[in-house]
Amino acid sequence: MSLLQRLALHHIALAQVLALACGVGLFGFLLTVSVGPYFQTGPKPGATEAAFRAELDRSVPRILRHFHVPGVVVSTVIAGAPAQTYAYGEADVAVRRPMTADTVFRVASISKSLTAWGVLRLAQSGRVNLDQPVARYLASWPLAPSPYPVSAVTVRRLLNHTAGVDAGEDTFHAPGDAAPSALDVLASQGAGPKPGRATLVAPAGEGFLYSVPGYTLLQLMIERQSGQPFADYMRRQVFQPLGMDSSSYRWDAALRGRTATPYQGNGKAIPLAIPDDAAADSLFATAPDLARFVGAPMADKQLPAGAGVLAPATVENVYLGHGLAPGLQFSRSGPETPGLGVFVERAPGQPTMLTNVGLDPGWSSLFIISPATGDGVVILTNSDNGAPAIAQITSIWTSWRGLPASNLNSGYRWFGVSAAVFLSLLGALDVAYAGSLAMEISAGGRRRIGLSRRSPISGGLLELAVAATVLALWAGVFAAVRSMPTMHAVGVSVIGALVVLALARTLFPLNEPQPRKGVAAAVGA
């Protein structure tokens, strides 16, 4: 083997080592900067609330800046009773209005959790039976005709999203407009590009299908059985007994001056919109009010479980009961079972947690209840990019309370690590492509415009196909990474470089033969 051939092989080996080192380095960077905060630990279990507050004061402003979230309010529950509330950032950026404990948020799908208590209140009074068909409590069946039996659509199955009702299509009205009736909403909530009448799309009781119209059916049932408008019933039967004076399914004058401005992930303010599906999405509330609800299922020094709204037996046997629906694996982060207006998270050997999230344009929210320990937390933001920020704040809280990571937090951990591995492999491929180009040029190669004469299997067309596949994966599987700014910026850079290099190697293929025969032969080897 000639000296030139040895040098070329040495360069190839060096390029391979460099590519591997770059891939490992990129993985370490992403794991530390973008994924590491989801493993963040707060004060040790048993530390004082002052220690928890100090950690929030240190971490939350950084978290808000990183994710471009204007503000957040956090309320805690300890020993079954509301404890403290912490506010950070701004409720309205344009006028510099700060977040406070009194700031009102639209909590999106958390609305369903409160609606469930309204239904359980009816069940407790004997006006409905959870295991009877909901049609029994309606004047007529409001959904479109379907081949599936209506008799299997029970109240319980609507509460835990196993009734087979379609997912629905969110619709909204302006704050000054009259809200449509539940019947009108059901007539316009069918899924698909052209919303139609909601219907049954699967047999009831045979699987989980998250449904907005299902909760509108429950709203209609509440109105029929109580003889009251839904918002009035919820205020009298749930909010007032719990002391939730700043909560309403009807956005009225009492809440307007305190409502946060919603923002997109890019920081642009968006107009406030009121969901038509009141029971499913339209609750406005403050964090301290929701902390009262979070503490209500747990007994404390002053109130029994249920806080006077539900009997302790109802809470224990119905609301907190297990086996409400078949165990479902919603994500790789852990098993999660749909309960009555909540999702039940169980980690082996760890306390069971009840949770729900609310994600809508301009709003992100979460609550967690740990009945066995008496702990709870409420986290509300005014941004639709708030979920990853909430996950990091949740990591601090669970660490402090000695609880397992929530599925939201574990989901970001798993997703972040997967994306980091994906991008690190692509980074190594970028370096390998660039090194190959550099060696070809140093060997005297000249490039010309035109498609490669080489076989597509080993030439530039294959590399272009790899780049196209990567783009498709990034746009599909890893689309949610856009909510993780560092990961997204690295991804755009790495994939952009890969596409440019693949195009260069395809559209400007290497001429044959090589001017420097010895080195060219070694490179070819």
Side-chain angles (χ1 to χ4, degrees):
M1 182 181 293
S2 70
L3 177 62
L4 287 178
Q5 288 176 323
R6 290 176 182 175
L7 287 174
L9 291 175
H10 174 73
H11 289 159
I12 291 173
L14 184 62
Q16 291 172 340
V17 171
L18 180 62
L20 178 61
C22 287
V24 172
L26 182 60
F27 178 73
F29 170 77
L30 291 174
L31 203 63
T32 302
V33 175
S34 192
V35 185
Y38 296 103
F39 292 87
Q40 181 170 335
T41 58
K44 293 181 179 179
T48 64
E49 182 110 14
F52 175 64
R53 176 170 189 165
E55 182 60 38
L56 291 182
D57 290 345
R58 185 184 71 84
S59 299
V60 171
R62 170 188 56 79
I63 292 171
L64 295 181
R65 287 193 302 270
H66 183 73
F67 293 105
H68 309 294
V69 175
V72 64
V73 180
V74 181
S75 282
T76 59
V77 173
I78 298 176
Q84 300 295 326
T85 296
Y86 310 100
Y88 300 89
E90 295 175 328
D92 190 295
V93 176
V95 299
R96 310 291 295 181
R97 175 160 58 97
M99 284 289 185
T100 69
D102 291 330
T103 301
V104 174
F105 298 79
R106 185 164 73 78
V107 298
S109 289
I110 286 178
S111 306
K112 299 178 180 69
S113 301
L114 280 295
T115 296
W117 270 54
V119 173
L120 293 173
R121 180 89 162 166
L122 282 177
Q124 184 173 266
S125 67
R127 282 180 281 181
V128 302
N129 184 313
L130 297 182
D131 296 307
Q132 289 295 316
V134 71
R136 176 176 177 179
Y137 307 110
L138 303 174
S140 60
W141 185 244
L143 302 191
S146 166
Y148 304 108
V150 171
S151 60
V153 181
T154 64
V155 177
R156 186 188 301 273
R157 286 170 175 166
L158 287 172
L159 285 169
N160 62 28
H161 300 281
T162 60
V165 181
D166 65 294
E169 191 81 9
D170 289 336
T171 57
F172 302 86
H173 61 275
D177 296 343
S181 68
L183 280 173
D184 289 339
V185 172
L186 289 171
S188 63
Q189 272 195 330
K194 295 182 178 180
R197 193 173 168 191
T199 187
L200 297 178
V201 294
E206 294 189 9
F208 175 85
L209 177 59
Y210 193 84
S211 174
V212 170
Y215 268 72
T216 306
L217 270 176
L218 293 172
Q219 175 185 338
L220 184 62
M221 180 194 74
I222 287 174
E223 291 175 339
R224 295 278 183 182
Q225 293 303 306
S226 69
Q228 303 173 52
F230 173 72
D232 293 341
Y233 170 84
M234 292 297 298
R235 176 174 55 83
R236 292 167 182 159
Q237 298 297 320
V238 178
F239 298 153
Q240 286 182 348
L242 292 179
M244 298 175 63
D245 299 329
S246 295
S247 301
S248 178
Y249 283 92
R250 184 185 295 121
W251 194 61
D252 55 22
L255 304 180
R256 290 176 188 175
R258 295 187 285 141
T259 301
T261 299
Y263 291 87
Q264 294 176 333
N266 61 8
K268 182 179 179 180
I270 57 179
L272 182 69
I274 311 297
D276 294 333
D277 45 293
D281 281 314
S282 75
L283 176 63
F284 287 84
T286 63
D289 266 19
L290 285 180
R292 292 182 178 91
F293 168 72
V294 164
M298 302 178 287
D300 59 38
K301 293 181 180 179
Q302 296 181 336
L303 294 170
V309 177
L310 299 179
T314 301
V315 174
E316 179 63 28
N317 298 326
V318 180
Y319 184 68
L320 299 180
H322 303 323
L324 300 175
L328 299 173
Q329 186 82 10
F330 288 138
S331 69
R332 293 180 183 266
S333 56
E336 192 171 79
T337 299
L340 305 188
V342 296
F343 293 93
V344 183
E345 298 182 3
R346 298 185 182 95
Q350 297 288 344
T352 294
M353 298 198 296
L354 312 176
T355 185
N356 201 3
V357 297
L359 304 173
D360 259 356
W363 310 98
S364 300
S365 52
L366 168 140
F367 74 75
I368 298 174
I369 305 171
S370 174
T373 65
D375 292 303
V377 71
V378 175
I379 306 174
L380 308 179
T381 76
N382 58 335
S383 170
D384 54 23
N385 202 39
I390 288 173
Q392 289 192 10
I393 296 171
T394 302
S395 182
I396 299 171
W397 176 78
T398 53
S399 174
W400 174 49
R401 303 314 297 168
L403 294 169
S406 70
N407 274 8
L408 177 68
N409 187 257
S410 298
Y412 273 102
R413 290 178 182 179
W414 175 85
F415 181 77
V417 171
S418 300
V421 170
F422 178 71
L423 293 179
S424 300
L425 292 173
L426 295 184
L429 189 60
D430 280 351
V431 174
Y433 276 6
S436 177
L437 281 171
M439 283 188 293
E440 288 172 357
I441 293 172
S442 67
R446 296 179 181 178
R447 293 188 168 271
R448 60 177 175 76
I449 299 176
L451 293 177
S452 175
R453 296 175 184 173
R454 297 173 292 176
S455 166
I457 296 177
S458 60
L461 291 181
L462 177 59
E463 293 159 2
L464 200 58
V466 169
T469 302
V470 166
L471 279 174
L473 285 171
W474 186 253
V477 177
F478 294 103
V481 84
R482 284 191 289 269
S483 65
M484 304 169 72
T486 301
M487 191 79 71
H488 180 57
V490 170
V492 169
S493 301
V494 169
I495 293 175
L498 180 67
V499 171
V500 169
L501 288 167
L503 283 172
R505 289 165 62 85
T506 303
L507 299 180
F508 298 88
L510 195 66
N511 272 327
E512 304 284 357
Q514 300 289 335
R516 299 179 185 176
K517 296 180 181 178
V519 177
V523 173

